[in-house]
Amino acid sequence: KAGVTQTPRYLIKTRGQQVTLSCSPISGHRSVSWYQQTPGQGLQFLFEYFSETQRNKGNFPGRFSGRQFSNSRSEMNVSTLELGDSALYLCASSSGGYTGELFFGEGSRLTVL
Amino acid sequence: QKEVEQDPGPLSVPEGAIVSLNCTYSNSAFQYFMWYRQYSRKGPELLMYTYSSGNKEDGRFTAQVDKSSKYISLFIRDSQPSDSATYLCAMSAKKGNNRLAFGKGNQVVVIP
């Protein structure tokens, strides 16, 4: 069974630009969550989508947005990039029922210059 | 104060030693407690999952939860070089809620 796939794996942007990251969950999983990981703050929850609806949202500014498609694939977008947005962005999928297990992808490492 | 505190200091131990990791938390609503392991350049993977207070053992790994003290622990017995990774505690308040609060993680190095 294929795991969670995130693209691109690495990207470099400059301040003020925007970026779109993509996540394909494990087949059959309907929930996709996004997390930001930085050395200073650790893993922080961004948002969760379930069946194309945002089910949960973390404490990030409106520049961070996401969506989920009918095939459960998800994208997140960050607009007007700031230096502090440099981070590893992790996507995690789950079946939607709560087993305590999120299956994480390898992440998209964003560097903002 | 962060909801979950995990002293992020690195930990180096000789092969075969017991590794002891812990987290404290402030939100008394947390009921579901997890430990994730993250290898370099990989995403976290679930190691242990416990509900409420108590102990859970899985092979060389033991997770303990003390809700009265708001304290959770992970013990790794007979540590192996393959256990070298970052260990993150995580917790949530609600069943069905994938909004997890994570600790910052401990980098563990097991020296052969």
Side-chain angles (χ1 to χ4, degrees):
Chain A
K1 201 175 195 182
V4 177
T5 304
Q6 291 188 245
T7 57
R9 291 290 315 281
Y10 302 91
L11 64 168
I12 300 173
K13 294 285 187 178
T14 56
R15 277 181 298 176
Q17 288 187 309
Q18 74 163 12
V19 66
T20 299
L21 309 177
S22 179
C23 173
S24 292
I26 291 171
S27 177
H29 283 188
R30 295 164 65 192
S31 167
V32 173
S33 304
W34 288 89
Y35 286 81
Q36 181 195 65
Q37 186 174 31
T38 60
Q41 298 298 319
L43 268 154
Q44 292 185 284
F45 175 80
L46 280 155
F47 28 67
E48 179 196 7
Y49 286 86
F50 179 79
S51 293
E52 302 179 67
T53 302
Q54 189 178 81
R55 185 157 81 167
N56 254 309
K57 188 177 190 308
N59 300 323
F60 278 80
R63 301 185 296 106
F64 293 81
S65 62
R67 59 179 175 166
Q68 186 179 33
F69 303 96
S70 59
N71 62 359
S72 292
R73 191 177 71 85
S74 177
E75 288 181 347
M76 69 162 281
N77 184 276
V78 188
S79 62
T80 319
L81 285 166
E82 300 176 0
L83 295 179
D85 297 333
S86 295
L88 181 67
Y89 290 89
L90 290 159
C91 165
S93 78
S94 74
S95 60
Y98 195 75
T99 64
E101 184 156 20
L102 294 180
F103 294 85
F104 283 87
E106 294 188 333
S108 293
R109 184 165 295 281
L110 170 66
T111 301
V112 182
L113 302 176
Chain B
Q1 182 192 13
K2 272 185 75 85
E3 279 189 306
V4 181
E5 297 282 357
Q6 182 178 9
D7 183 351
L11 192 62
S12 288
V13 299
E15 183 175 354
I18 294 174
V19 176
S20 173
L21 306 170
N22 58 76
C23 291
T24 58
Y25 62 94
S26 57
N27 187 344
S28 57
F30 287 145
Q31 297 188 71
Y32 301 89
F33 304 92
M34 290 138 272
W35 286 93
Y36 279 81
R37 177 175 62 193
Q38 185 174 22
Y39 289 113
S40 181
R41 299 193 220 293
K42 299 287 188 184
E45 57 178 342
L46 182 68
L47 252 187
M48 301 286 282
Y49 166 67
T50 53
Y51 167 66
S52 197
S53 283
N55 293 358
K56 183 172 183 178
E57 195 171 309
D58 184 0
R60 296 182 296 109
F61 298 90
T62 300
Q64 289 182 349
V65 174
D66 181 350
K67 287 190 70 182
S68 62
S69 302
K70 296 193 180 70
Y71 187 92
I72 71 171
S73 302
L74 177 72
F75 300 95
I76 308 173
R77 290 183 300 283
D78 187 25
S79 57
Q80 303 295 307
S82 59
D83 295 327
S84 298
T86 296
Y87 291 81
L88 302 135
C89 62
M91 42 199 85
S92 77
K94 236 169 93 168
K95 190 163 185 167
N97 185 347
N98 286 330
R99 177 181 183 157
L100 303 185
F102 279 87
K104 286 189 180 179
N106 285 114
Q107 185 178 11
V108 173
V109 176
V110 181
I111 302 163

